[in-house]
Amino acid sequence: MARRVSFAFLCWLALLLLAGVVGLPSARSQTLATLLTNGPTDRRINLVIMSEGYKTNKFGQFRTDATNLVNQLLGAAPFNQYRSCFNAFTIAVASNENGSDHPSQGTYVDTYFNTSYDSYGKPEFINLPPDEWDPDPAHGIGRVTALLNSLMPDGGVPILLVNDLNYGGSGGGVLICSRAPGSDTLVTHEMGHTLAGLGDEYDAAFPGYPDTEEPNTTRVTNLAQIKWNVWITPGTQIPTPPTGPQADRLGLFEGAHYHATGWYRPRLNCRMRYQTEPFPFCEVCQEALVLSFYRKVRPLQSWSPTATNLLSTTPQTLTFTVSTLPPSAGVPVTLWWLDNTAVPSATQTVFQVSSGALSNGLHQVRAEVRDATTLVRTDPGQLLRQSQIWQLQVSLTNLRLAIARPTSQTNVSVVVSGSAVHGIVLEASTNLPAWQSVATNAFTQGRFEFVEPSPNPLPRRYYRARALP
Ligand SMILES: [Zn+2]
């Protein structure tokens, strides 16, 4: 089934123009119900499943159908390893009648999004306005957008779940699928387009579709320039014969992007080549999908301390922690660096450093989180790794007092050296129990010389330097 990307894009544009003047139905009466939550909506891919052709008394069925759909979608590789990247919600909107239109059979029902089968002459192609039968986007895609903007302002992937037992659906800006068994495989295929920008690996012509390569389609036949060549085992024939001993390898198979010749795909079979067959996504498509997950969901979820400029003025143990995606998302690896030197023993999400063991001055602590999944071999955008850096200023008090020495018959000099982040006070005493200040805030680090300002007739005098708190 051909994508409706450009078609849907025009629809969205039209919607933007029309939304201000068309009286879109109020979304206030609808509410969002949670099916699956794995994190905040601004940091997850939110699947938002809306009911189409379900009367109010079918809402229980809708929730069951939606739960089954989510389980099917996230059960397919690579989604099954990255469930933690997804949230799922339902929006139950009532239709006046059950089902969907089947124009080829003369069947028309009154439903909220006015969907129809038979679009583009294909019985299984479910569309929503604007389409061949209803040109008004406010009756279809406008209602989807209004609900999404109202109830999921952080954005989501809208999926219309159609209460019809005839197999069908479509992709584009809005994913559509019926509750018929097997329709979920179609949505999984369409998610490949929507999330990862994958291309159809079909041979069937699509006149007018742009000849733009996707991550899984190419016209290149030179092995060194094939974008997925890291997945191709040496010795694989290029192009790869679709029959014989190499047919089950990953290679370069002719037929893709709506061309039977001159365009190539990575594997003989893939979910992006067939919608109805439950073939898995090929390695190249899975890699593109995982990268797409990490464009929305970052591997580093939070860190502590949240402040990234730290100051240590007393010897202490400083604890740094990071939290990564839950384990279902690949295999998270955490590494730590201190002053750009890797700490080999530090591979956990907690790292401790003693400021007393560091010299005074600026230090850097860095955590790097990386998904070590084997599903991705090429990550030019470094999407699978993320670093967090803390700048640590260590200013521990470390004072030394030089022996007082006479500078003349009656005066003495006292030298203080070292560091004290808040300065020092230099005090003097004739008897030790009683002290008086003779110089305050003289310095924070380096060397300070104090000379008695006037002739000092005292036979004995003691000095001490004290760091200010
Ligand atoms: Zn593929």
Side-chain angles (χ1 to χ4, degrees):
M1 190 174 305
R3 292 175 65 192
R4 291 187 289 113
V5 168
S6 50
F7 175 66
F9 178 66
L10 290 174
C11 294
W12 286 96
L13 275 183
L15 173 77
L16 288 175
L17 296 172
L18 288 168
V21 295
V22 176
L24 296 176
S26 167
R28 248 174 282 162
S29 57
Q30 281 82 41
T31 55
L32 196 73
T34 301
L35 282 183
L36 174 70
T37 183
N38 278 306
T41 53
D42 63 341
R43 285 188 277 148
R44 290 295 182 275
I45 301 167
N46 304 302
L47 305 177
V48 182
I49 300 161
M50 303 179 188
S51 61
E52 161 65 347
Y54 288 81
K55 294 174 70 173
T56 307
N57 63 359
K58 296 289 185 185
F59 279 179
Q61 180 68 53
F62 166 62
R63 188 168 175 88
T64 300
D65 293 341
T67 302
N68 292 338
L69 177 62
V70 168
N71 288 336
Q72 292 289 340
L73 292 183
L74 301 186
F79 298 92
N80 56 352
Q81 289 189 43
Y82 290 88
R83 274 180 73 92
S84 54
C85 294
F86 290 84
N87 292 330
F89 305 92
T90 57
I91 299 175
V93 285
S95 292
N96 291 326
E97 295 181 272
N98 292 322
S100 181
D101 294 349
H102 291 267
S104 64
Q105 301 167 21
T107 305
Y108 297 92
V109 289
D110 181 5
T111 58
Y112 189 79
F113 298 102
N114 199 20
T115 56
S116 292
Y117 281 73
D118 304 329
S119 209
Y120 302 107
K122 296 174 186 286
E124 75 280 13
F125 198 128
I126 310 177
N127 212 341
L128 81 170
D131 58 17
E132 293 104 306
W133 302 277
D134 184 348
D136 190 346
H139 296 161
I141 201 163
R143 294 186 169 192
V144 174
T145 306
L147 285 166
L148 206 59
N149 289 346
S150 169
L151 298 174
M152 185 51 67
D154 285 329
V157 179
I159 303 174
L160 288 194
L161 179 52
V162 179
N163 182 21
D164 196 303
L165 283 174
N166 290 283
Y167 169 84
S170 63
V174 179
L175 304 184
I176 306 176
C177 87
S178 82
R179 63 183 293 257
S183 292
D184 58 278
T185 61
L186 190 153
V187 177
T188 315
H189 167 101
E190 301 296 348
M191 294 256 282
H193 294 307
T194 302
L195 295 180
L198 294 173
D200 280 323
E201 300 178 7
Y202 316 151
D203 297 353
F206 187 167
Y209 197 85
D211 279 343
T212 305
E213 293 191 5
E214 294 100 346
N216 59 328
T217 64
T218 188
R219 284 166 287 189
V220 172
T221 56
N222 180 337
L223 178 61
Q225 295 173 345
I226 296 171
K227 60 187 120 183
W228 58 77
N229 59 12
V230 296
W231 291 98
I232 298 175
T233 305
T236 302
Q237 199 174 331
I238 302 296
T240 313
T243 57
Q246 296 204 344
D248 61 352
R249 288 190 181 193
L250 194 146
L252 190 78
F253 293 85
E254 191 164 33
H257 198 87
Y258 320 112
H259 298 271
T261 58
W263 281 76
Y264 300 87
R265 63 188 190 277
R267 268 206 183 271
L268 189 62
N269 297 317
C270 170
R271 180 63 62 92
M272 294 312 293
R273 183 162 171 83
Y274 300 101
Q275 295 171 324
T276 56
E277 301 293 329
F279 284 114
F281 286 104
C282 72
E283 289 87 339
V284 174
C285 290
Q286 290 202 42
E287 178 178 63
L289 279 162
V290 173
L291 292 173
S292 79
F293 303 157
Y294 278 114
R295 285 192 188 93
K296 173 71 177 177
V297 184
R298 303 305 296 129
L300 191 54
Q301 295 291 295
S302 64
W303 54 86
S304 174
T306 51
T308 54
N309 285 299
L310 307 172
L311 173 65
S312 178
T313 59
T314 56
Q316 62 189 133
T317 298
L318 296 158
T319 301
F320 300 85
T321 61
V322 292
S323 89
T324 59
L325 278 174
S328 69
V331 184
V333 171
T334 306
L335 301 171
W336 293 88
W337 276 261
L338 179 60
D339 293 332
N340 287 319
T341 300
V343 182
S345 59
T347 57
Q348 304 300 311
T349 55
V350 178
F351 177 63
Q352 290 187 317
V353 61
S354 171
S355 64
L358 301 175
S359 61
N360 276 352
L362 191 62
H363 297 271
Q364 186 187 81
V365 174
R366 178 161 63 95
E368 183 182 291
V369 174
R370 178 169 58 89
D371 180 351
T373 179
T374 56
L375 296 178
V376 174
R377 292 187 177 178
T378 308
D379 180 15
Q382 301 278 291
L383 294 168
L384 271 63
R385 62 179 63 202
Q386 189 179 6
S387 290
Q388 175 58 39
I389 294 174
W390 291 268
Q391 303 291 351
L392 172 60
Q393 180 72 43
V394 176
S395 295
L396 301 182
T397 297
N398 178 19
L399 294 176
R400 289 177 298 281
L401 195 64
I403 296 171
R405 60 182 176 82
T407 58
S408 68
Q409 284 292 324
T410 55
N411 282 13
V412 293
S413 157
V414 178
V415 174
V416 183
S417 61
S419 62
V421 66
H422 294 127
I424 67 160
V425 57
L426 182 65
E427 296 173 326
S429 173
T430 57
N431 58 7
L432 290 178
W435 292 88
Q436 69 178 66
S437 167
V438 295
T440 305
N441 284 331
F443 77 90
T444 54
Q445 66 178 20
R447 180 179 183 278
F448 165 63
E449 180 173 9
F450 170 78
V451 180
E452 285 285 0
S454 59
N456 183 358
L458 296 172
R460 179 177 290 115
R461 193 163 189 181
Y462 303 93
Y463 295 91
R464 72 180 182 187
R466 190 163 54 81
L468 289 170

